[in-house]
Amino acid sequence: MRNAVKELGGDPNKINPIYPVDLVIDHSVVVDASRTPDALDVNQRLEYERNQERFKFLKWGAKAFRNMLIVPPGSGIVHQVNLEYLARVVFQTDDGLLYPDTVVGTDSHTTMINGLGVLGWGVGGIEAEAVMLGQAISMVLPEVVGFKLTGHLNSIATSTDLVLTITAILRKLGVVNKFVEFFGNGCQGLSIADRATISNMAPEYGATCGFFPVDVKTLEYLRQTGRSEKKVAVVEAYLRATGMFRDYSDISEEPHFTTVIELDLSKVVPCISGPKRPHDNVPITEVREDFEKALVNKIGFKGFAIAPEKAGQRAPLSYEGVDYELTHGDVVIAAITSCTNTSNPSVMLGAGTSLLLCLYSRCLSVL
């Protein structure tokens, strides 16, 4: 575009992002090394080798364009970087103008940032480029569905259990092309990591976004992630002055919605989803029965059409000199890949611990 403007006799420097653009170089889909202490270093080195020319071009772009920040590889998952570092919550211009932070991203799970009180969702690449150059996004004013959370999560339920439960509820309700706003005293007991987990899965429950207004927990998170006290003070003062700061325990601050759905957090139980769709919620206590039924059901979201006499069939496997037997339901690959999980340290640690326990129990059975 700059070359074209120059050829026409114009100023090529006018081709420049009008709004702040943050480009996070996340990671490629290649995993060359795993299950070794140096896996991260090996994968990052190969990433740089394979994409050297691309990275040089991006580095040039960071210097050639104003209003553009490039976050290099190895810094983290894009949405986590946005949550912990990039998000402003409240923008402040050089001349002192304040306005709420909003974002569009080129990934469907851009919605994670709504857990921090920043309105945002994913768009296509062409739409994002248009926004960079000042073109407004047009949309029909969406209906906002209120999701009231009450009570507290019990000690054995995680944010993953909660978001899978919410996904099943909202899929049943139908929230496509709608905003979902969470409110109620249950929100104040959720950390920003928990809220981010819920907001991240908006594409799975079908909404444009799942929004949590800013409260004291948001301010605490900004401090924890290195935002300055001056920045936090500006955010709080502006949002309180404009009526956008929320006290989840104050019933008088609860908005009025055309549609409200409610969930008692104490009723959430450990669960998984599947075997094929994220909104097919299955409590852990019912997983065995549900899976055994799915094996013999006709082909579909809950069926694999395996003949009943073959449902218990086992197959021999030899790996690294050790003989095993596999049957339907055995875990043969396990990885923590979803950005839904990476928003929450407790869930990441829990997933890693569960995997180690699974591997340990398998070793005991072999011995």
Side-chain angles (χ1 to χ4, degrees), residues 17-23 66-69 86 88 91 99 101-104 131-132:
I18 292 177
Y19 302 109
V21 175
D22 300 315
L23 176 60
R66 300 184 306 276
N67 256 351
M68 177 177 282
L69 173 68
L86 299 176
R88 283 76 158 176
F91 259 99
Y99 59 93
D101 187 5
T102 57
V103 63
V104 290
V131 170
M132 288 169 57

Side-chain angles (χ1 to χ4, degrees), residues 227-241:
R227 273 77 161 196
S228 68
E229 280 298 328
K230 181 180 179 181
K231 172 64 178 178
V232 176
V234 169
V235 169
E236 181 177 10
Y238 172 77
L239 294 177
R240 286 189 183 279

Side-chain angles (χ1 to χ4, degrees), residues 20-33:
V21 175
D22 300 315
L23 176 60
V24 181
I25 305 170
D26 199 318
H27 59 84
S28 69
V29 296
V30 180
V31 178
D32 294 279

Side-chain angles (χ1 to χ4, degrees), residues 81-150:
V81 173
N82 191 19
L83 197 71
E84 296 181 0
Y85 178 71
L86 299 176
R88 283 76 158 176
V89 185
V90 171
F91 259 99
Q92 184 171 10
T93 63
D94 293 337
D95 56 2
L97 177 66
L98 300 173
Y99 59 93
D101 187 5
T102 57
V103 63
V104 290
T106 55
D107 184 279
S108 61
H109 289 105
T110 299
T111 53
M112 189 164 106
I113 202 60
N114 289 274
L116 194 65
V118 176
L119 184 64
W121 59 86
V123 298
I126 294 176
E127 289 178 283
E129 290 174 10
V131 170
M132 288 169 57
L133 298 175
Q135 179 69 44
I137 291 180
S138 60
M139 62 184 297
V140 176
L141 190 65
E143 177 185 347
V144 181
V145 174
F147 201 123
K148 187 172 186 177
L149 300 176
T150 60

Side-chain angles (χ1 to χ4, degrees), residues 84-279:
E84 296 181 0
Y85 178 71
L86 299 176
R88 283 76 158 176
V89 185
V90 171
F91 259 99
Q92 184 171 10
T93 63
D94 293 337
D95 56 2
L97 177 66
L98 300 173
Y99 59 93
D101 187 5
T102 57
V103 63
V104 290
T106 55
D107 184 279
S108 61
H109 289 105
T110 299
T111 53
M112 189 164 106
I113 202 60
N114 289 274
L116 194 65
V118 176
L119 184 64
W121 59 86
V123 298
I126 294 176
E127 289 178 283
E129 290 174 10
V131 170
M132 288 169 57
L133 298 175
Q135 179 69 44
I137 291 180
S138 60
M139 62 184 297
V140 176
L141 190 65
E143 177 185 347
V144 181
V145 174
F147 201 123
K148 187 172 186 177
L149 300 176
T150 60
H152 300 275
L153 281 175
N154 62 61
S155 59
I156 61 173
T158 68
S159 60
T160 303
D161 300 318
L162 174 56
V163 73
L164 292 178
T165 302
I166 289 173
T167 298
I169 293 171
L170 289 176
R171 275 285 191 167
K172 186 176 180 180
L173 176 66
V175 289
V176 174
N177 294 326
K178 298 177 183 179
F179 288 4
V180 175
E181 181 174 328
F182 294 91
F183 70 104
N185 57 38
C187 295
Q188 63 184 345
L190 298 177
S191 67
I192 296 301
D194 293 334
R195 297 176 193 179
T197 302
I198 296 168
S199 295
N200 183 285
M201 279 194 72
E204 280 67 39
Y205 48 78
T208 303
C209 64
F211 184 75
F212 285 88
V214 173
D215 71 336
V216 291
K217 283 277 181 74
T218 314
L219 302 180
E220 291 172 4
Y221 184 84
L222 293 177
R223 293 188 180 95
Q224 290 170 359
T225 50
R227 273 77 161 196
S228 68
E229 280 298 328
K230 181 180 179 181
K231 172 64 178 178
V232 176
V234 169
V235 169
E236 181 177 10
Y238 172 77
L239 294 177
R240 286 189 183 279
T242 55
M244 290 188 285
F245 194 87
R246 182 67 56 84
D247 179 356
Y248 287 108
S249 64
D250 188 347
I251 298 178
S252 67
E253 291 190 13
E254 293 183 356
H256 297 283
F257 301 95
T258 53
T259 302
V260 173
I261 194 163
E262 188 170 338
L263 174 64
D264 181 352
L265 296 179
S266 66
K267 305 295 185 184
V268 175
V269 297
C271 57
I272 62 174
S273 286
K276 300 181 181 182
R277 300 187 300 181
H279 53 283

